[in-house]
Amino acid sequence: MRVTIAEVALRARVSKATVSRVLNAKPDVDASTARRVRQVIEEIGYVPSARAAGLARGNTRTVGMLVPSMTWPWMGEVLQGVVDTLEAEGYGMLLYTVNRGAESLAQFASHVSANAFDGLLVVEPPHTTNYIAKLHAAGLPVVMIDDRGTHPRFPSVATTNREGGWSAARHLLAGGRSRFAVVTGPRHFGCVGDRLDGFRDALDAAGVRLNPKLVVDGDFTTGGGVAATVGLLGTGLRFDGVFAQNDLSAIGVMRALRDSGRLVPDDVAVIGFDDVPTAAHTEPSLTTVRQPLHQMGATAARLLLDHLTGNAVRDVPLVLPTSLVVRRSAP
Amino acid sequence: MRVTIAEVALRARVSKATVSRVLNAKPDVDASTARRVRQVIEEIGYVPSARAAGLARGNTRTVGMLVPSMTWPWMGEVLQGVVDTLEAEGYGMLLYTVNRGAESLAQFASHVSANAFDGLLVVEPPHTTNYIAKLHAAGLPVVMIDDRGTHPRFPSVATTNREGGWSAARHLLAGGRSRFAVVTGPRHFGCVGDRLDGFRDALDAAGVRLNPKLVVDGDFTTGGGVAATVGLLGTGLRFDGVFAQNDLSAIGVMRALRDSGRLVPDDVAVIGFDDVPTAAHTEPSLTTVRQPLHQMGATAARLLLDHLTGNAVRDVPLVLPTSLVVRRSAP
DNA sequence: CTGAAAGCGCTTACAG
DNA sequence: CTGAAAGCGCTTACAG
């Protein structure tokens, strides 16, 4: 049998109300009474039922997290950041993915309606921004972890995409490169434009022109990076530095360059974006613009927790700085 | 205000009990009554409160998942497998890590006591096997996802480590290699011995001897693979094939070989274990023994679900087959 | 400072 | 086939 608050009350010779008070550290409990209750709790190893307390209190001390898929290379870092800060506050995390499409989303929606969690953390859900915005408008606390420059109308945590692009250009310039190519991500992501703008601005500031023919679309996958590079080589135009807008693309770029007989970084320097765990172990290791993934997760969780405990949270993106990690692909 | 079962009952002119019956698809409800209730539910968009139902029913329709850390490269695949099958049954997943050590474990333990979930899925928790066994003995349904050959005394899902080692050896042999080195993982993992035994058995069967001096310890990290390889090269002994017991090690092995001027696979073939996402994108791409990570997660979740719905689950490891993925590091 | 009572939103015997 | 009532294990005004 489960040990309940009634059992504690009985043994401590107080009412359940009083036990509840010491449990929740309410004021106005006699010190010696509190001590006695705590002792009984200790003795019989009582832990309050999360469900019952939640039902009575009207909240769950649990937050939901919705991610597109668990198999993205940087998802683990973000999740770890979230879990670390949630856990420190005694909150649980319910994980949802939209891996199975509409069916997943339906399941998720029913958990929302069932009040399974108090607030929601969400990572770039493709085509669901409106739905999430609606939930937020309906009163569900939401914080978005935004690596795609979506600029939503609710609290979010983002990174300095523009400055990241800028720093990539500055580094290539400083390394003596002068003819540049860019492999972008899908154009509908805000970050793609931001990273490109930053990159171009830095070149402009240095009086270097970016040939539009050397700006080609990728899709944030390794295969896309390969294809884009084949396209670049096909133009016949010369270039000695490539800015790939994420690390997976950069890996594809390096492979395609190598397959075409070019040396990285001797012939062409390559720089990525993200700093996924793999980046340190490619050949050559990848210079990249680092997104503080763990910190993004931790910050978003912190923001949501603040929201849940009554502190107002501004609907303005909190922007965390990127940083350049120099490795061998662009020394 | 939240829509409750009372509201539905009122509108459908029935009792809460009857609403509850159609909600849970109990028999013995008049067809037309059921129809009327369902219609009201549809109209006002009623979804039962997970907490309240759980409290009354005595379960949560939620399972806990405990993992050492989210940043392991293969964790994402396993988690996705778990989430996919849990979600299909309408179950939620509470995620816990032991990333912050004892403090994490204490938080986890309190959630266990609070009955926050009905059953537990666990991945190789370092030094916690006894604790988990105790929970299982105390009546908490537990299924372990075991990539380390721990052979616990409760239900688990594992892979064919021995056969995996065997297939690695067969493949190297078939490729014409004859002098072998092995970079192991930490010796206290059961899988390390199993993979080595399988590898050695295949060599024995082919009449090839494995020189003990060419079997060196790694630690399942890339740095460990580098260090181990430096050690191998230091022996002055020749070898033309290396079996690294996981992919991270294999990446380190390839780097150290390259740094020493050796070509992979021309001079030395390298074969890993796991098939993490990165394996396809190393240079050269990595031949490896694939663990069906997604399937391991899915199977474990299935097993736990069976357990929760009353079906007996045997305390015997369910063993899933590995398979060889041939890429360029060992063609 | 403390207790009795009502209530959170469901489910489940028990009657009929 | 259906309803009234008790109960799941807490918290929270309300009195005193």
Side-chain angles (χ1 to χ4, degrees):
Chain A
M1 269 317 297
R2 186 179 165 72
V3 182
T4 72
I5 197 172
E7 171 84 14
V8 177
L10 193 71
R11 297 211 190 201
R13 301 163 185 285
V14 294
S15 68
K16 294 189 294 175
T18 296
V19 177
S20 177
R21 286 188 189 101
V22 346
L23 239 26
N24 297 291
K26 304 271 181 192
D28 301 334
V29 179
D30 182 83
S32 74
T33 309
R35 207 176 309 120
R36 186 152 36 93
V37 171
R38 265 192 281 272
Q39 193 167 334
V40 171
I41 288 175
E42 175 79 15
E43 272 173 32
I44 64 181
Y46 167 70
V47 179
S49 154
R51 281 197 293 285
L55 183 58
R57 210 192 303 119
N59 65 213
T60 61
R61 304 247 166 134
T62 297
V63 322
M65 175 144 190
L66 179 65
V67 305
S69 160
M70 285 303 307
T71 54
W72 290 80
W74 46 265
M75 198 59 80
E77 297 275 342
V78 172
L79 267 178
Q80 190 66 61
V82 169
V83 172
D84 284 350
T85 100
L86 249 31
E87 174 198 290
E89 301 289 339
Y91 273 71
M93 180 184 103
L94 276 167
L95 183 64
Y96 301 90
T97 76
V98 292
N99 198 45
R100 306 189 320 138
E103 212 174 326
S104 298
L105 211 56
Q107 272 298 333
F108 171 74
S110 95
H111 279 235
V112 172
S113 308
N115 270 288
F117 42 80
D118 300 341
L120 179 65
L121 251 22
V122 52
V123 176
E124 41 128 322
H127 317 303
T128 52
T129 316
N130 282 337
Y131 170 60
I132 303 295
K134 215 166 289 175
L135 293 180
H136 178 248
L140 180 72
V142 173
V143 174
M144 176 163 178
I145 296 165
D146 176 25
D147 81 312
R148 295 198 169 170
T150 307
H151 309 306
R153 290 144 296 160
F154 43 86
S156 67
V157 174
T159 47
T160 53
N161 286 305
R162 187 177 202 104
E163 289 75 359
W166 173 285
S167 69
R170 292 300 307 169
H171 182 69
L172 289 170
L173 250 10
R177 311 290 164 156
S178 58
R179 297 160 184 274
F180 302 102
V182 177
V183 175
T184 74
R187 292 288 180 159
H188 59 277
F189 294 148
C191 67
V192 168
D194 292 344
R195 291 172 192 177
L196 184 56
D197 288 347
F199 189 80
R200 189 185 276 122
D201 286 354
L203 295 189
D204 284 351
V208 175
R209 177 168 170 273
L210 179 60
N211 186 338
K213 289 188 180 143
L214 289 177
V215 177
V216 296
D217 288 1
D219 60 1
F220 277 168
T221 71
T222 299
V226 169
T229 306
V230 169
L232 286 173
L233 295 171
T235 63
L237 297 167
R238 286 177 49 202
F239 55 91
D240 57 8
V242 178
F243 173 37
Q245 291 202 348
N246 82 343
D247 288 349
L248 290 184
S249 296
I251 290 169
V253 170
M254 292 203 292
R255 182 195 298 174
L257 288 173
R258 183 172 43 237
D259 289 350
S260 79
R262 281 155 183 88
L263 291 176
V264 176
D266 306 56
D267 299 327
V268 182
V270 175
I271 196 163
F273 209 108
D274 281 348
D275 197 27
V276 299
T278 309
H281 303 306
T282 56
E283 177 53 35
S285 56
L286 185 64
T287 293
T288 189
V289 179
R290 176 169 216 280
Q291 297 204 67
L293 300 167
H294 185 281
Q295 195 191 346
M296 289 168 75
T299 304
R302 184 77 268 157
L303 231 49
L304 184 60
L305 252 20
D306 286 350
H307 199 141
L308 294 180
T309 52
N311 299 314
V313 173
R314 299 199 311 157
D315 289 7
V316 156
L318 185 60
V319 182
L320 265 25
T322 53
S323 58
L324 191 72
V325 179
V326 179
R327 298 202 182 90
R328 295 196 293 110
S329 72
Chain B
M1 269 316 296
R2 186 182 165 70
V3 182
T4 71
I5 197 173
E7 172 85 12
V8 177
L10 193 70
R11 297 210 190 202
R13 301 163 185 287
V14 293
S15 67
K16 295 189 293 177
T18 295
V19 177
S20 176
R21 286 188 190 100
V22 346
L23 239 26
N24 298 290
K26 303 272 182 192
D28 301 332
V29 179
D30 182 82
S32 73
T33 309
R35 209 175 309 124
R36 185 151 37 94
V37 171
R38 265 192 281 272
Q39 194 168 333
V40 172
I41 289 176
E42 175 78 14
E43 271 173 33
I44 64 181
Y46 167 70
V47 179
S49 154
R51 282 196 293 285
L55 182 57
R57 209 191 304 119
N59 64 212
T60 62
R61 305 248 165 133
T62 297
V63 323
M65 174 143 191
L66 179 65
V67 305
S69 161
M70 286 302 309
T71 54
W72 288 80
W74 45 266
M75 198 58 80
E77 297 275 341
V78 173
L79 268 178
Q80 190 66 62
V82 169
V83 172
D84 284 349
T85 100
L86 249 31
E87 174 197 291
E89 301 289 340
Y91 273 70
M93 180 185 103
L94 277 166
L95 183 64
Y96 301 90
T97 75
V98 293
N99 198 44
R100 306 189 320 139
E103 212 172 326
S104 298
L105 212 55
Q107 271 298 332
F108 171 74
S110 95
H111 280 236
V112 173
S113 307
N115 270 288
F117 43 81
D118 300 340
L120 179 65
L121 251 22
V122 53
V123 176
E124 40 129 319
H127 315 304
T128 51
T129 316
N130 281 338
Y131 171 59
I132 303 294
K134 216 167 287 175
L135 293 181
H136 178 249
L140 180 72
V142 173
V143 175
M144 176 163 175
I145 295 165
D146 176 27
D147 81 312
R148 295 198 170 171
T150 308
H151 310 305
R153 290 144 296 159
F154 44 86
S156 67
V157 173
T159 47
T160 52
N161 286 304
R162 186 177 203 105
E163 288 76 359
W166 172 284
S167 68
R170 292 300 309 168
H171 182 69
L172 290 171
L173 250 10
R177 312 290 165 158
S178 58
R179 298 160 183 274
F180 302 102
V182 176
V183 175
T184 74
R187 292 289 181 160
H188 59 277
F189 294 147
C191 67
V192 168
D194 292 344
R195 292 174 191 176
L196 184 56
D197 288 348
F199 189 80
R200 189 185 276 121
D201 286 353
L203 295 190
D204 283 352
V208 175
R209 178 167 169 275
L210 179 60
N211 186 339
K213 289 189 179 144
L214 289 178
V215 177
V216 297
D217 288 1
D219 60 2
F220 278 167
T221 72
T222 299
V226 170
T229 306
V230 169
L232 285 173
L233 295 170
T235 63
L237 297 168
R238 286 177 48 202
F239 55 91
D240 57 9
V242 178
F243 174 37
Q245 291 203 348
N246 83 343
D247 288 350
L248 290 184
S249 297
I251 290 169
V253 169
M254 291 203 292
R255 182 194 299 172
L257 287 173
R258 184 172 42 236
D259 289 351
S260 79
R262 279 156 184 89
L263 292 176
V264 176
D266 306 55
D267 298 329
V268 183
V270 176
I271 198 163
F273 209 107
D274 281 348
D275 197 27
V276 298
T278 309
H281 303 306
T282 55
E283 179 51 35
S285 56
L286 185 64
T287 293
T288 189
V289 179
R290 175 167 217 282
Q291 296 204 69
L293 299 167
H294 185 281
Q295 194 192 347
M296 288 168 75
T299 303
R302 185 77 267 156
L303 230 50
L304 184 59
L305 251 19
D306 285 350
H307 198 139
L308 294 180
T309 52
N311 298 315
V313 173
R314 298 201 312 158
D315 289 8
V316 155
L318 185 59
V319 183
L320 265 25
T322 53
S323 57
L324 191 72
V325 179
V326 178
R327 298 201 183 90
R328 295 196 294 108
S329 72

